[in-house]
Amino acid sequence: MQGRDRGLVLLVPILWGLNFPATALALQHYPPVLAAALRFLLMLPALLFVPFPKVRLRWLIGTGLGLGVLQFSFLYAGIAAGMPVGLSSLVLQASAPFTILLAVLFLGERMTPRRLAGIGIAVLGLAIIGASRALAAAWLPMALTLLAAFGWAIGNVSARMARAPDPLQLTMWMAVVPPVPLLALSLLIERPLIGPALAGALQPQAMAANLGLAYIVVFSTVIGYGIWNGLMARYPASEVAPWSMLVPIVGIASSWVALGENPHPLELAAGLLVIGGVILASRAPRPRIG
């Protein structure tokens, strides 16, 4: 990887890790499902400058439902229910073993011993975090965050099936899918909160939440995914993908600095198991010599 691209590949997990405290700021004013809807509504003007992806409509919808509706509605609901935002950045890594399992079931990919071992290690780490959360009577936020990771995995498999020639176009245009179902869900379960949140959106007390939303849309989504997809197009996935493992480190560190979150040492140790399992499961097998 060239020198400039090394800096860019390091910038992406920083942008994505800071997304978690930015989300916590947004949720201080907006209810979670409405916040998820606003995230994608604010992206729509950018589509005027992005060509429609050359993919089948069903896979565009699948990507939008998985990555947009399921991932962010459950993630934001989990954080609003009490999931520490730094820890949520760790638990979301469960999307990797979920993606592998779905690819084996629906895409016919092979479950190699390396992948099976990696998934087992990651699941062990998640089980430890889950037990810790259950002891603290906080199992529901953990369950919601795991569902968010599963939604991400569904989006990953749909994006894989889309086989978009330009992944950035797919990433941007899938934003047309989430707003309607998210707004409908918000009206169903958050109706009393929507009016006050929108009425006070331009008040000084909402400034931090609006800045958080702006960061999520511009820096985490448009710039972050723009850089990432460009790097994935120029280099092997095995050279780029492991850098995403830095996201929880940035997420936990930034949440500690910005929000005063102090993660439990047991959960941090379990998080290392999750990340280690993801790395092991995601590594490409070494080619045989001779």
Side-chain angles (χ1 to χ4, degrees), residues 30-217:
Y30 299 101
V33 182
L34 178 63
L38 291 174
R39 171 194 181 115
F40 292 100
L41 282 171
L42 293 172
M43 286 179 60
L44 296 183
L47 300 184
L48 295 173
F49 308 97
V50 181
F52 190 82
K54 297 178 181 179
V55 300
R56 290 188 177 182
L57 184 60
R58 61 182 175 180
W59 299 124
L60 174 66
I61 294 174
T63 303
L65 289 176
L67 294 180
V69 178
L70 296 178
Q71 178 184 191
F72 289 107
S73 61
F74 283 123
L75 173 62
Y76 289 5
I79 293 174
M83 187 70 173
V85 292
L87 185 61
S88 68
S89 68
L90 266 175
V91 175
L92 270 180
Q93 298 303 314
S95 65
F98 283 152
T99 299
I100 292 171
L101 289 174
L102 290 177
V104 170
L105 290 174
F106 297 104
L107 303 183
E109 295 190 3
R110 291 177 58 247
M111 177 63 78
T112 64
R114 182 196 298 273
R115 285 181 170 178
L116 188 60
I119 290 174
I121 293 171
V123 169
L124 175 61
L126 289 169
I128 294 172
I129 295 174
S132 175
R133 295 280 95 193
L135 290 174
W139 63 268
L140 178 60
M142 173 72 180
L144 290 170
T145 309
L146 281 174
L147 287 172
F150 188 71
W152 189 359
I154 292 173
N156 284 340
V157 172
S158 296
R160 176 82 175 270
M161 294 299 295
R163 296 181 176 88
D166 188 332
L168 178 58
Q169 293 175 2
L170 176 63
T171 300
M172 296 298 294
W173 273 93
M174 70 100 177
V176 304
V177 178
V180 171
L182 286 174
L183 286 173
L185 183 60
S186 181
L187 283 171
L188 181 65
I189 65 177
E190 299 173 340
R191 186 185 296 270
L193 304 174
I194 295 174
L198 295 179
L202 299 181
Q203 299 299 318
Q205 61 267 26
M207 181 63 69
N210 292 333
L211 289 175
L213 268 178
Y215 179 89
I216 291 168
V217 172

Side-chain angles (χ1 to χ4, degrees), residues 253-268:
S254 59
S255 299
W256 173 59
V257 172
L259 307 174
E261 288 186 356
N262 293 310
H264 193 281
L266 177 63
E267 292 176 341
L268 285 179

